Amino acid sequence: CVFSDGTSREFPRAYLEAASPVFKAMMAAEMAEAGSQRVEFTKENKDDVQDMLRFLDPCQGRRAEIDGNNAERLLPLFHLYQLEPLYEEACGVLAKGVPTPGRVALARKYGVKRAIDAFVKSEAAKLQEVADIGTDGYDAAFKAAVLDEYRSIRRREAEAADDAERVAKRKMANFQAYVADYVNSTPE
């Protein structure tokens, strides 16, 4: 592997090919990497690539963990090289994180719907009033989704309150009917 700073690292070709259809295609006969027997990571951040390679190494990968510190950096690489299980895990970590404009943009760019949905619900739950969604760096589409979710939450709360009131009235009416039946059926 050759990195953007010109340094290189030995990494077994078999690990790359086994982990990713992209790497496997790169090592095919008609690709430049096949002739040189090396993959050049000239556009990617060296530290991010090194972290990605740790996950692909069977010895190191068992101890590697996708967490809030690396999920945002590694998700684009996992996506680019079609490392599906790692990509899915990074998406899950992203979805559990605290929403920020950067995370919303990342989730949108890579189509991580569950993260966007989680962020929308999280932000909507924080709103006290519709006016609370100020200009905090989020794009208009995200703000609209948050407002829709906020309104949906408030509508469900109102429906639940209405349902609770109807249930309470029905119970009271049933109790009053029971008492009236009891009074009318007991001999004096």
Side-chain angles (χ1 to χ4, degrees):
C1 298
V2 178
F3 302 105
S4 56
D5 64 359
T7 60
S8 63
R9 171 186 173 185
E10 292 293 319
F11 196 81
R13 173 183 174 168
Y15 295 172
L16 294 172
E17 289 178 351
S20 163
V22 174
F23 290 129
K24 188 172 187 172
M26 291 169 86
M27 296 297 178
E30 296 184 24
M31 299 290 286
E33 289 82 2
S36 67
Q37 293 295 304
R38 64 184 194 184
V39 177
E40 294 187 13
F41 297 100
T42 56
K43 295 179 182 169
E44 296 88 353
N45 177 287
K46 177 183 177 179
D47 293 334
D48 295 348
V49 173
Q50 292 276 30
D51 284 348
M52 177 188 71
L53 293 175
R54 276 190 358 194
F55 285 95
L56 304 184
D57 183 324
C59 296
Q60 292 181 5
R62 293 175 2 161
R63 292 185 302 271
E65 186 175 328
I66 300 172
D67 57 27
N69 296 320
N70 62 15
E72 290 178 57
R73 294 182 301 104
L74 294 176
L75 187 134
L77 289 173
F78 295 158
H79 182 268
L80 177 65
Y81 295 108
Q82 297 178 13
L83 300 164
E84 290 305 316
L86 296 170
Y87 172 77
E88 288 300 320
E89 187 175 342
C91 289
V93 170
L94 182 67
K96 292 177 186 172
V98 175
T100 65
R103 287 182 179 151
V104 169
L106 184 68
R108 278 230 171 86
K109 182 175 182 177
Y110 293 100
V112 187
K113 185 174 178 351
R114 65 181 157 175
I116 295 168
D117 292 347
F119 296 160
V120 165
K121 287 182 184 345
S122 172
E123 290 300 296
K126 292 180 197 174
L127 292 176
Q128 296 300 312
E129 296 179 11
V130 174
D132 285 351
I133 187 132
T135 56
D136 49 9
Y138 292 116
D139 62 41
F142 182 73
K143 287 181 184 183
V146 169
L147 290 175
D148 287 346
E149 180 64 19
Y150 172 79
R151 290 179 185 119
S152 176
I153 289 169
R154 295 298 170 248
R155 186 175 53 254
R156 287 192 302 267
E157 287 174 350
E159 289 169 358
D162 289 347
D163 288 346
E165 186 176 337
R166 279 194 292 277
V167 168
K169 285 180 179 178
R170 188 173 57 244
K171 284 182 178 179
M172 181 56 83
N174 289 344
F175 177 72
Q176 289 172 338
Y178 171 79
V179 169
D181 286 344
Y182 181 76
V183 169
N184 291 334
S185 66
T186 55
E188 290 185 29

